[in-house]
Amino acid sequence: MRLGIIGLPNSGKTTIFNALTGSDLETAAVSSGQFEVHTAVVNVPDTRIDQLTAMYKPKRTIYATITYVDIGGLDKGISDGGLKGQFRNELQQVDGFVQVVRAFHDETVPHPYNTVDPKRDLETLDLEFLLSDMITVENRLQKLNDEIRIKGKKAEPVVLPQIELMNRLKATLDAEKPLRVMSDLTEDEIKSIRGYGFLTLKPMIVVVNMGETAASVESILTYQHPNSALVGLRGKIEAEIAQLDADGKQMFMEEYGITELGAARVIQLSYALMSIQSFFTVGEDEVRAWRIPMGATAPEAAGVIHSDLQKGFIRAEVMAYEDLLNAGSEAALKSVGKMRLEGREYVVKDGDILNIRFQKSIK
Ligand SMILES: Nc1nc2c(ncn2[C@@H]2O[C@H](COP(=O)(O)OP(=O)(O)OP(=O)(O)O)[C@@H](O)[C@H]2O)c(=O)[nH]1
Ligand SMILES: [Mg+2]
């Protein structure tokens, strides 16, 4: 899963990237404004994995991960005539966005529009994305209508429903709403437009870079679309904290009266917003978190581990994480009959611990 960190020049994208990933990239008071991409992979913190590790004492523990991409160079006007080249690729490839909005005041850091105005900045980039999607929709509509004009009744049967769908998307964009608010899109429709990489269809976490203040984010901005979230984060401080070891982190947080890091919250929200959940596998060798979409069945979950496990799927032994924790051990859980056997139709739940029984294919 890939999330793109975007924002106006000098909003603190690279600082937030450092805070989220523990990287130590250089930040600069004068923005180069250049297209530039940095990537890092982070573990998704999960106390359930910590507890399972304490219980099984495995040789290794593997957390679920998220890839964050710091994408520099976005600004007003970037989508004039349509996004181009590498920029377009990077933005279309990510599964969702973290938009950094500057709220910090610092005279040594110039703002591209001279004043600090989080609402204006947020609307500016949101509008760029709307315009970019509008161009995509219009191009598509034109091609589809051309096909009808040229081929008439001989046009592919998918053309008419596609025109209808594109007109619905256009109506949403015309109303200056992002496509992610549309609750009437079916799964098939979403699938049919996946290839166009609509930017406003992707989930969005707005991270307000609060600077050094402890004010609440709600006092600065609101952002209440479906499939989006709003988080306040003290960029510079959290980037410094991310460089410390566990003890140092603890001390620093106590000193600043920070109970929950904004960075941890962004990472958890990233997971939640993408409608992703975790199941676990456990044993002496490895305790591991795996990522699956909501609604995935047991064989689909098996396929995430290895395609052979999906092909040869027989049954899944399932323990609910809470049951295991309450029982205290796997043996105790089995003795009270809480280990379940589930078949192909079973829909995996967040926190299930699976052991897949499968048949090896014989060639
Ligand atoms: N005072 C203060 N300065 C900050 C904070 N966050 C970032 N900065 C400063 O703002 C400047 C720009 O930060 P970057 O993280 O490089 O911003 P950016 O969005 O990556 O900039 P470009 O990639 O050049 O567009 C740097 O000098 C940072 O130190 C903050 O929370 N407080
Ligand atoms: Mg940067």
Side-chain angles (χ1 to χ4, degrees):
M1 184 165 80
R2 245 173 121 82
L3 288 183
I5 302 179
I6 55 164
L8 292 177
N10 260 353
S11 51
K13 296 178 293 296
T14 304
T15 305
I16 302 287
F17 175 84
N18 286 343
L20 293 178
T21 64
S23 310
D24 195 13
L25 290 183
E26 222 166 287
T27 61
V30 179
S31 175
S32 69
Q34 293 297 307
F35 172 72
E36 208 182 356
V37 176
H38 305 281
T39 303
V41 179
V42 297
N43 284 337
V44 180
D46 191 334
T47 50
R48 297 171 300 181
I49 283 285
D50 301 333
Q51 295 277 1
L52 291 172
T53 298
M55 193 180 283
Y56 286 88
K57 303 189 173 55
K59 294 196 189 97
R60 60 172 186 268
T61 297
I62 302 179
Y63 291 82
T65 60
I66 300 178
T67 302
Y68 285 103
V69 194
D70 172 11
I71 306 172
L74 268 181
D75 203 346
K76 193 155 61 183
I78 190 87
S79 62
D80 280 356
L83 281 167
K84 287 175 200 70
Q86 240 180 324
F87 229 128
R88 190 187 164 85
N89 285 345
E90 278 301 333
L91 294 174
Q92 292 192 337
Q93 266 172 28
V94 296
D95 303 299
F97 293 109
V98 173
Q99 180 173 179
V100 179
V101 180
R102 172 171 176 174
F104 68 89
H105 292 267
D106 186 334
E107 279 174 8
T108 65
V109 182
H111 189 293
Y113 314 141
N114 302 319
T115 52
V116 174
D117 185 342
K119 188 164 175 287
R120 173 202 60 202
D121 291 357
L122 178 60
E123 286 170 358
T124 301
L125 264 202
D126 273 358
L127 189 63
E128 283 303 322
F129 277 21
L130 278 175
L131 290 173
S132 163
D133 281 356
M134 188 61 109
I135 292 170
T136 311
V137 166
E138 281 172 350
N139 286 341
R140 184 74 196 132
L141 267 175
Q142 186 159 10
K143 284 212 179 83
L144 291 163
N145 284 320
D146 282 352
E147 188 160 343
I148 293 286
R149 218 184 44 244
I150 295 163
K151 295 192 183 158
K153 287 214 166 77
K154 285 192 191 126
E156 297 283 330
V158 295
V159 172
L160 285 177
Q162 273 282 312
I163 288 179
E164 189 266 338
L165 175 57
M166 288 297 151
N167 277 325
R168 270 158 64 210
L169 302 184
K170 186 169 173 337
T172 306
L173 296 169
D174 277 337
E176 295 201 3
K177 288 192 182 134
L179 298 178
R180 74 179 82 89
V181 309
M182 293 177 73
S183 54
D184 58 337
L185 290 178
T186 66
E187 259 176 48
D188 282 346
E189 284 174 335
I190 291 177
K191 238 184 230 166
S192 78
I193 57 175
R194 196 165 285 158
Y196 303 114
F198 287 116
L199 302 181
T200 67
L201 193 58
K202 301 176 197 275
M204 169 88 77
I205 302 174
V206 173
V207 171
V208 180
N209 188 2
M210 310 284 290
E212 288 69 34
T213 108
S216 78
V217 64
E218 290 79 14
S219 68
I220 293 181
L221 263 187
T222 51
Y223 200 72
Q224 285 170 328
H225 303 295
N227 294 317
S228 23
L230 179 71
V231 187
L233 202 156
R234 290 186 256 179
K236 210 169 184 172
I237 296 175
E238 292 219 10
E240 280 170 33
I241 295 177
Q243 290 299 313
L244 304 172
D245 60 18
D247 286 347
K249 265 185 196 151
Q250 187 82 35
M251 270 170 54
F252 204 113
M253 284 171 70
E254 274 166 23
E255 193 182 318
Y256 279 84
I258 300 171
T259 47
E260 191 198 16
L261 287 179
R265 188 149 164 62
V266 172
I267 292 168
Q268 263 144 18
L269 273 172
S270 306
Y271 222 62
L273 265 190
M274 310 303 294
S275 297
I276 295 273
Q277 57 182 357
S278 299
F279 75 89
F280 308 120
T281 51
V282 295
E284 285 172 6
D285 275 346
E286 186 181 279
V287 163
R288 180 164 186 166
W290 304 86
R291 214 172 55 208
I292 40 166
M294 304 285 185
T297 59
E300 284 165 349
V304 174
I305 304 174
H306 198 286
S307 56
D308 286 353
L309 268 63
Q310 182 165 15
K311 275 190 219 130
F313 181 89
I314 302 171
R315 263 189 288 279
E317 292 174 358
V318 184
M319 302 184 272
Y321 168 79
E322 293 296 336
D323 289 346
L324 178 60
L325 204 69
N326 291 336
S329 73
E330 199 173 307
L333 176 121
K334 281 181 180 157
S335 72
V336 293
K338 289 231 166 148
M339 166 87 79
R340 289 176 281 133
L341 275 180
E342 301 283 2
R344 308 191 70 81
E345 309 299 321
Y346 178 68
V347 174
V348 176
K349 295 187 186 61
D350 190 42
D352 275 353
I353 298 158
L354 301 187
N355 183 27
I356 307 295
R357 293 197 190 163
F358 71 109
Q359 193 164 31
K360 281 207 180 94
S361 63
I362 303 154
K363 287 204 186 106

